[in-house]
Amino acid sequence: MNSNTHPFHSPAKLVDWSTLTPDKIAADIEAALAEAQAEIDAICAVAPEEATFENTFLALESAGETLSRAWGRVDHLTSVKDSEALREAHRAMLPKVTEYSSRIPLNAALWSALKSFAEKPEAAQLTGIQKRYFDETLADFKQAGADLPQEKKTRLEALNQELAQKTKSFSDNVLDSTNAYELLIDDESRLAGLPDSAKAAARQSAKSKGHGTDEKPVWRFTLQAPSFFPVLKYADDAELRKTIHQEAAKIGFKDKWDNTELIREILKLRQEKAELLGKKNFADQVLQRRMAKSGDSALAFTDDLYRKCKEAFEAEFDELEAFVAEKTGQAKDHLEPWDVSYWSEKLRLEKYDFDDEALRPYFPIDGVLDGMFRIAERIFGLRIQNHEGPENSWHPDVKLYDLYDAGGELLGYFYADWHPREEKRGGAWMNYLDTGAPQADGSRSPHVGLITGNMTEPVDGKPALLLHNEVETVFHEFGHLLHHLLGQVDIKSLNGVNVAWDFVELPSQIMENWCWNRESLNQFARHYETGEPIPQDLFDKMVAARNFQSASFTMRQLSLGKMDLELHVNPENYYEGDLDAKIREAISGYLAKLKTTPKSMVRRFGHLFSSPVGYAAGYYSYKWAEVLDADAFTRFEKEGIFNEETGRAFRDCILSKGNSEDPAKLFKDFMGRDPDPQALLARCGLA
């Protein structure tokens, strides 16, 4: 199909994003759907005696490639360039795309064609990646309902449609309710305690909306994380902190954007889907082929870590309450939720004489990115450079890079989009736009991916100066990106991040370790004005404070994982009644005792409810993979964090392998043994 006529179909690795406009979506997706369906129909028409691996399984692998490319671009734009026209076009096509994808494993003729080959002697002779793809495809079809009777397949298709629509509505509500709020302050005294960087950003935000003048300045705060987090952490004005905290709690909860009923509906649909597929609950359905295997197993993992952290968690909060009592001269008591971050920062400052803001000047974003690239080059044998030529991205702030193997082979391209915009959803994420494949001449076509976030913006002519935890986020998403770009799997659907969800965070989380080492920090942590590295005394304070309230941080992650699992293991508990109270009861031991009970974050928890599956029943994966990453990094610590042989082993055993083998085997190939959970507890200072 002509790329000018159907720009979303363009096979170009680097598309001209200015041509991908909402008015082109309907025609492009309709055409791609017709092409994809014709490819599926061709497989269905294969006579049983003529069935081969090539005309069944491999034909299925390539079927719908145009649709996947086109819809992937549409989906990406909804995340970074939202508009009413784009929403309307997306909503119009979403049911059709969902119908196509959900019908594939429910297509009796297609399943019959696949089984025609599967029952032949040739199927038993498959080896290597072909054997893996064969096994995974059969498992995918069975897990998705291929063996169901027709009436159940029909209902399953309807469930998939409803889930796609309702989860998109959930995501839209979160974005819209986030953007609907602004707080304007014209009394600078109310901003006491805020770092200059936060005040400058708030002033710049106000100017961008036409608020205030040089003579009468105004400061604007929003519910974007870089705007409201500093208020909760630093603002001396308790009423200001309270206002921001309470407004953030209303994301996905206020006015027409209330997600409460959507959550109940999504839970009911997921439970019905699980039961249709013969599983007790959605967690068991989702986890059956992940490392955890079942909802009960994931809960047991979560509860085990909870027991190991509980005493330290309670001690940390007791220390914080005592500190507040000492500083205020009042009786020791529980804290208000909007006071926790503020007083925790005061306590950390007193214990370690360390303030995150002191590190900002050493983390200009361009320096962070350049240093991160040099570190990856050194460890993994790569070369990364700015893309030469037109970038044609979806926003002027987006940059494009080329990634080469050290030997000169082009491995892929990637976009980086780091700062918040109103048309861009919150958080940070990696995604892939194209997966390379072997070519007839023996070469491999390049992959294409992207990394994006909502980091601190440039202010007053200065570069964007990041907090250390933002630096960790950049490294984290880059780890996901490397997992995609370094993939060497010959079958696209098994490449890169298409792995068991509780394994996918290993490549991302392990990269964060290089943000804590003196030698690696010297590669990029340089003062934006003087070029000086982080002073040794400041580095020592940063490291000393690393595990400050680590049990509290761990418990927060565990509480979110526990909430997720409870919602999807026992969903019937949440169909009626006070959603917040029921969640609070389910995770009561995981929560600190506070004067005012805050609302649950469930209504803005996009990880769980902004897509049909996403991290639903899988949020525990962050901690599961953290066990893997803490343990795997011990090999780097032992052999050298810049040891090229160790880096090559990680690239060969993990990053290049995608889902070509069982993840437990891949980990064992790198470490020579099964994971040791003690490594994580030791790193957190809890063992």
Side-chain angles (χ1 to χ4, degrees):
M1 293 183 184
N2 191 307
S3 296
N4 295 323
T5 307
H6 296 290
F8 281 89
H9 294 188
S10 173
K13 293 288 181 176
L14 301 177
V15 68
D16 181 352
W17 289 90
S18 68
T19 67
L20 304 186
T21 52
D23 60 299
K24 302 291 198 308
I25 290 174
D28 283 19
I29 299 305
E30 290 281 13
L33 281 165
E35 177 186 302
Q37 190 58 54
E39 291 166 338
I40 294 296
D41 291 343
I43 303 171
C44 296
V46 173
E49 65 275 12
E50 296 176 358
T52 65
F53 185 66
E54 287 72 19
N55 65 18
T56 57
F57 282 80
L58 285 185
L60 176 63
E61 164 69 10
S62 60
E65 189 165 312
T66 299
L67 176 62
S68 178
R69 181 190 303 123
W71 188 249
R73 290 166 176 168
V74 174
D75 224 23
H76 167 63
L77 286 172
T78 66
S79 295
V80 296
K81 200 175 180 180
D82 183 60
S83 69
E84 195 52 47
L86 180 58
R87 279 193 191 183
E88 288 179 8
H90 184 271
R91 283 196 191 109
M93 289 296 107
L94 180 61
K96 298 182 180 184
V97 174
T98 304
E99 180 181 22
Y100 166 80
S101 58
S102 64
R103 276 189 175 177
I104 288 178
L106 304 180
N107 185 326
L110 178 60
W111 185 223
S112 179
L114 294 176
K115 288 195 291 186
S116 292
F117 172 74
E119 292 163 359
K120 291 187 173 183
E122 295 95 310
Q125 295 167 10
L126 294 173
T127 60
I129 191 62
Q130 291 189 342
K131 169 68 170 167
R132 178 69 173 175
Y133 175 65
F134 173 81
D135 290 341
E136 288 289 279
T137 302
L138 290 178
D140 283 342
F141 269 68
K142 290 174 183 176
Q143 185 173 347
D147 287 327
L148 291 176
Q150 187 54 50
E151 67 273 12
K152 290 189 175 182
K153 287 183 179 181
T154 301
R155 178 56 187 153
L156 194 54
E157 284 185 40
L159 288 171
N160 289 333
Q161 286 272 16
E162 289 187 71
L163 279 169
Q165 293 166 347
K166 291 185 184 301
T167 53
K168 181 62 169 69
S169 295
F170 179 98
S171 181
D172 289 346
N173 285 344
V174 171
L175 179 62
D176 291 346
S177 57
T178 298
N179 289 335
Y181 178 79
E182 66 175 7
L183 176 64
L184 302 177
I185 301 290
D186 58 10
D187 179 0
E188 189 172 6
S189 68
R190 295 200 66 195
L191 307 182
L194 275 179
D196 290 340
S197 60
K199 290 173 64 176
R203 180 73 189 95
Q204 181 169 287
S205 177
K207 286 181 179 178
S208 73
K209 294 295 183 179
H211 300 303
T213 64
D214 290 340
E215 293 74 26
K216 294 184 177 180
V218 171
W219 293 264
R220 177 176 181 262
F221 296 92
T222 71
L223 299 181
Q224 298 279 1
S227 179
F228 80 82
F229 275 169
V231 174
L232 295 178
K233 191 171 183 178
Y234 294 107
D236 293 334
D237 186 332
E239 282 301 312
L240 177 59
R241 297 198 306 270
K242 179 180 179 180
T243 297
I244 286 288
H245 184 278
Q246 291 182 331
E247 290 298 330
K250 294 176 186 175
I251 295 174
F253 192 22
K254 61 185 177 184
D255 304 330
K256 62 184 178 182
W257 304 295
D258 187 350
N259 276 330
T260 305
E261 290 309 310
L262 273 176
I263 289 170
R264 298 190 205 277
E265 291 165 9
I266 292 168
L267 289 175
K268 289 175 183 176
L269 292 170
R270 286 173 172 168
Q271 179 63 19
E272 183 182 352
K273 180 175 179 177
E275 291 175 3
L276 261 180
L277 292 165
K279 292 296 180 181
K280 185 171 58 175
N281 53 59
F282 189 71
D284 284 358
Q285 164 63 15
V286 166
L287 302 182
Q288 58 186 291
R289 289 164 58 216
R290 297 186 187 176
M291 297 180 80
K293 304 303 182 190
S294 71
D296 287 344
S297 174
L299 275 171
F301 166 79
T302 302
D303 289 341
D304 179 58
L305 272 182
Y306 161 75
R307 287 189 294 272
K308 290 173 178 174
C309 296
K310 188 174 188 301
E311 186 176 345
F313 168 63
E314 291 173 346
E316 286 176 0
F317 241 82
D318 186 69
E319 178 188 36
L320 181 61
E321 290 171 352
F323 173 76
V324 174
E326 176 193 341
K327 294 301 177 184
T328 61
Q330 298 175 357
K332 184 169 175 286
D333 197 357
H334 300 319
L335 305 182
E336 295 286 8
W338 48 86
D339 291 338
V340 174
S341 294
Y342 176 78
W343 284 108
S344 292
E345 182 60 21
K346 296 289 187 188
L347 175 58
R348 184 170 72 154
L349 193 60
E350 179 157 307
K351 287 183 74 169
Y352 302 102
D353 188 26
F354 173 67
D355 179 359
D356 283 341
E357 289 290 322
L359 287 170
R360 268 198 202 272
Y362 298 93
F363 293 131
I365 191 166
D366 287 343
V368 169
L369 294 173
D370 184 66
M372 179 176 71
F373 296 161
R374 303 295 84 81
I375 289 169
E377 289 175 340
R378 187 172 169 186
I379 299 168
F380 301 124
L382 305 171
R383 180 162 57 84
I384 302 167
Q385 63 187 43
N386 291 321
H387 180 71
E388 295 182 5
E391 297 183 3
N392 297 323
S393 59
W394 53 89
H395 190 274
D397 288 349
V398 178
K399 292 187 177 181
L400 178 62
Y401 302 90
D402 304 334
L403 183 139
Y404 293 86
D405 184 79
E409 178 189 1
L410 177 64
L411 300 177
Y413 308 99
F414 64 96
Y415 298 90
D417 181 358
W418 290 120
H419 302 301
R421 300 184 295 275
E422 289 187 0
E423 70 271 18
K424 180 180 173 185
R425 71 176 171 88
W429 66 95
M430 168 269 167
N431 205 348
Y432 56 89
L433 295 167
D434 193 88
T435 301
Q439 303 299 293
D441 62 1
S443 67
R444 182 182 294 272
S445 62
H447 305 299
V448 184
L450 63 96
I451 39 179
T452 184
N454 286 271
M455 310 301 173
T456 301
E457 297 178 271
V459 176
D460 292 344
K462 297 178 183 178
L465 302 175
L466 304 185
L467 289 169
H468 185 253
N469 67 350
E470 292 180 308
V471 175
E472 287 185 285
T473 299
V474 171
F475 272 67
H476 178 106
E477 299 306 333
F478 188 60
H480 280 310
L481 184 73
L482 290 176
H483 200 188
H484 174 63
L485 297 180
L486 299 184
Q488 294 287 306
V489 184
D490 288 348
I491 292 179
K492 289 184 179 184
S493 62
L494 299 181
N495 189 75
V497 297
N498 295 311
V499 299
W501 210 286
D502 39 15
F503 188 69
V504 76
E505 296 296 336
L506 167 59
S508 56
Q509 290 181 177
I510 199 170
M511 289 301 298
E512 297 177 29
N513 290 283
W514 276 269
C515 300
W516 289 96
N517 178 273
R518 175 87 255 189
E519 187 180 0
S520 62
L521 282 169
N522 284 346
Q523 304 294 307
F524 66 91
R526 300 276 172 167
H527 196 285
Y528 77 100
E529 291 177 320
T530 67
E532 291 297 312
I534 297 174
Q536 188 61 39
D537 64 331
L538 182 56
F539 171 78
D540 291 341
K541 291 174 183 177
M542 180 186 87
V543 172
R546 179 178 186 178
N547 286 330
F548 173 65
Q549 293 187 341
S550 65
S552 298
F553 176 78
T554 299
M555 196 65 82
R556 172 170 168 74
Q557 290 296 98
L558 291 175
S559 73
L560 297 176
K562 173 82 166 175
M563 177 205 303
D564 169 31
L565 287 166
E566 290 290 344
L567 287 167
H568 290 101
V569 170
N570 303 300
E572 65 281 354
N573 293 345
Y574 306 93
Y575 294 163
E576 296 177 350
D578 187 329
L579 187 60
D580 295 291
K582 292 189 172 188
I583 288 174
R584 205 159 47 243
E585 181 182 1
I587 62 174
S588 60
Y590 292 67
L591 304 174
K593 293 182 173 64
L594 299 168
K595 279 185 183 177
T596 300
T597 303
K599 293 290 185 185
S600 163
M601 68 165 286
V602 70
R603 295 172 186 83
R604 63 183 189 275
F605 205 169
H607 277 73
L608 306 192
F609 296 110
S610 64
S611 69
V613 180
Y615 273 85
Y619 199 81
Y620 76 91
S621 302
Y622 282 106
K623 279 299 169 192
W624 186 285
E626 205 173 335
V627 168
L628 303 181
D629 110 65
D631 193 21
F633 191 67
T634 62
R635 179 173 170 187
F636 281 98
E637 290 177 314
K638 181 180 178 181
E639 299 173 6
I641 68 159
F642 288 111
N643 186 304
E644 293 178 14
E645 291 184 11
T646 313
R648 171 56 71 171
F650 191 76
R651 178 176 168 180
D652 291 345
C653 295
I654 307 290
L655 296 177
S656 69
K657 289 296 177 63
N659 188 27
S660 60
E661 296 186 71
D662 183 86
K665 180 184 182 299
L666 296 181
F667 184 89
K668 198 167 186 176
D669 287 346
F670 178 67
M671 290 300 290
R673 56 168 175 75
D674 292 329
D676 178 6
Q678 284 301 115
L680 174 60
L681 295 172
R683 186 172 73 185
C684 294
L686 299 172

